[in-house]
Amino acid sequence: MSTEGQVITCKAAVAWEPNKPLVIEDVQVAPPQAGEVRIKILFTALCHTDAYTWSGKDPEGLFPCILGHEAAGIVESVGEGVTEVQPGDHVIPCYQAECRECKFCNRFSINGKPIYHFMGTSTFSQYTVVHDVSVAKIDPQAPLDKVCLLGCGVPTGLGAVWNTAKVEPGSIVAVFGLGTVGLAVAEGAKAAGASRVIGIDIDPKKFDRAKNFGVTEFVNPKDHDKPIQQVLVDLTDGGVDYSFECIGNVSVMRAALECCHKGWGTSVIVGVAASGQEISTRPFQLVTGRVWKGTAFGGFKSRSQVPWLVDKYMKKEIKVDEYVTHNMTLGEINEAFRYMHGGDCLRCVLKMQD
């Protein structure tokens, strides 16, 4: 029975207020309007960005809302004027700037009460409505329970290396933080031909796994009395060529810059710091030739390049399966977040449909 043009009632994990458990609710999802697409979400992964907004530390976070932005599904229906996707297409929703209180894109409600979108995606719902410019049409043969990861973390790490830093063969690379994004940076650096990929983390349990993603050596800051930047400068005869901060800690961002070689070293900030945090260093660090950069979604263009990443995955040219450490259901989402905050979880993928 066609649901086109009708309100759909489905399950979603609703964040009613900061830091309170997500509640599985029946939500009403309005039909797509002009330029919009309604997607049946089949799988969604958890990301630290979801947890950051849920914590209440995000000044742009609005409640109640439906979080989630790393997912894959099938187009259920499209609004007027949508030409690039059609019902039945397999897609990855791509996050975009949140428009906050704009009525135009509020398509969720519970018994008439509006529920806010998150990052233009809100994938912790069995159905969601997004702008057509936020939808990447992908190979229908790609497993959606895996390629959902190509909506955020993995492309962010790969692209930080390939697009933002443009790491060159033979380079020495330092990666701060060996979670999903940090491991994707390591994978990207290996593919770019880096001669050394140094992984820095305070959890030694992560080191064995990181070898499979291209990390060649490991440094635990807790094992050293000297500042970590000095340890790395000594280890690399003057500093690394490229460094990547994948944690969101402003003091680590400084260390990542200062471990770079003067004259040409480039440091890329990938991690998202808490609201109100500021970065600092001595100007001497920059006027001696180091470069400090930031990256968003790894510099990839979502609609045109996410399908390209899916194709690379299908050709076994990039890893995706290896990042999935846990598989759970929508009803287990609160437990899934507890796993995510533990050291053993990279990505937990939720099965959204019963």
Side-chain angles (χ1 to χ4, degrees), residues 22 46 50-51 54 124 333-341:
L22 303 180
L46 309 186
D50 301 309
W54 183 20
F124 292 169
I333 190 168
N334 288 298
E335 184 183 356
F337 269 106
R338 286 192 285 274
Y339 279 124
M340 189 189 77
H341 288 299

Side-chain angles (χ1 to χ4, degrees), residues 39 47 49-50 68-71 92-99 118-123 130-131 133-136 148-157 181 270 272 295-303 306 347:
I39 302 169
C47 175
T49 306
D50 301 309
H69 65 283
E70 195 173 280
I92 292 176
C94 302
Y95 62 85
Q96 60 178 27
E98 169 79 4
C99 65
F118 170 72
M119 292 178 74
T121 51
S122 291
T123 62
V130 303
H131 292 295
V133 294
S134 306
V135 180
C148 59
L149 269 61
L150 296 177
C152 180
V154 174
T156 296
V181 176
V270 189
V272 178
T295 190
F297 196 53
F300 282 116
K301 292 183 172 64
S302 55
R303 277 197 298 169
V306 167
R347 277 297 191 261

Side-chain angles (χ1 to χ4, degrees), residues 46 48 325-328 332-348 350:
L46 309 186
H48 284 274
T325 54
H326 296 72
N327 290 275
M328 302 178 79
E332 299 171 305
I333 190 168
N334 288 298
E335 184 183 356
F337 269 106
R338 286 192 285 274
Y339 279 124
M340 189 189 77
H341 288 299
D344 296 329
C345 179
L346 288 178
R347 277 297 191 261
C348 178
L350 302 182

Side-chain angles (χ1 to χ4, degrees), residues 75-98:
V75 174
E76 175 268 340
S77 60
V78 301
E80 181 185 343
V82 174
T83 57
E84 295 198 10
V85 294
Q86 58 189 9
D89 283 347
H90 288 215
V91 296
I92 292 176
C94 302
Y95 62 85
Q96 60 178 27
E98 169 79 4

Side-chain angles (χ1 to χ4, degrees), residues 66-318:
I66 296 171
L67 299 165
H69 65 283
E70 195 173 280
I74 297 174
V75 174
E76 175 268 340
S77 60
V78 301
E80 181 185 343
V82 174
T83 57
E84 295 198 10
V85 294
Q86 58 189 9
D89 283 347
H90 288 215
V91 296
I92 292 176
C94 302
Y95 62 85
Q96 60 178 27
E98 169 79 4
C99 65
R100 306 193 71 192
E101 298 184 60
C102 163
K103 293 178 182 175
F104 179 71
C105 64
N106 239 345
R107 299 289 170 261
F108 295 116
S109 63
I110 296 179
N111 300 323
K113 177 181 174 61
I115 306 293
Y116 290 108
H117 269 63
F118 170 72
M119 292 178 74
T121 51
S122 291
T123 62
F124 292 169
S125 173
Q126 292 179 318
Y127 287 84
T128 191
V129 177
V130 303
H131 292 295
D132 62 343
V133 294
S134 306
V135 180
K137 180 180 173 181
I138 62 168
D139 179 353
Q141 299 302 314
L144 298 180
D145 60 330
K146 301 297 192 296
V147 297
C148 59
L149 269 61
L150 296 177
C152 180
V154 174
T156 296
L158 294 175
V161 176
W162 298 343
N163 303 325
T164 307
K166 296 183 169 61
V167 168
E168 297 166 331
S171 302
I172 301 173
V173 172
V175 185
F176 290 79
L178 298 176
T180 297
V181 176
L183 294 178
V185 165
E187 181 188 353
K190 178 183 178 183
S195 61
R196 297 170 69 184
V197 181
I198 305 168
I200 301 103
D201 204 290
I202 58 173
D203 183 356
K205 295 198 302 292
K206 294 181 178 178
F207 292 169
D208 270 348
R209 179 163 60 195
K211 290 175 187 172
N212 300 325
F213 291 85
V215 176
T216 58
E217 54 205 282
F218 306 94
V219 178
N220 185 338
K222 290 182 173 179
D223 294 340
H224 300 271
D225 296 325
K226 290 186 289 191
I228 187 61
Q229 49 266 61
Q230 189 58 51
V231 172
L232 292 166
V233 167
D234 295 344
L235 205 66
T236 55
D237 190 27
V240 304
D241 301 306
Y242 299 94
S243 72
F244 299 83
E245 199 279 354
C246 305
I247 302 166
N249 181 309
V250 292
S251 63
V252 178
M253 292 173 187
R254 177 172 187 162
L257 173 75
E258 295 179 359
C259 78
C260 287
H261 203 292
K262 65 180 169 186
W264 63 80
T266 295
S267 185
V268 181
I269 295 173
V270 189
V272 178
S275 172
Q277 297 279 299
E278 295 183 350
I279 52 174
S280 64
T281 191
R282 291 180 300 127
F284 179 78
Q285 294 289 335
L286 297 175
V287 297
T288 47
R290 295 175 186 85
V291 176
W292 218 351
K293 296 177 126 178
T295 190
F297 196 53
F300 282 116
K301 292 183 172 64
S302 55
R303 277 197 298 169
S304 54
Q305 292 185 291
V306 167
W308 174 78
L309 286 168
V310 171
D311 291 343
K312 284 182 79 67
Y313 161 72
M314 296 295 281
K315 295 174 188 170
K316 296 185 165 48
E317 293 175 2
I318 60 171

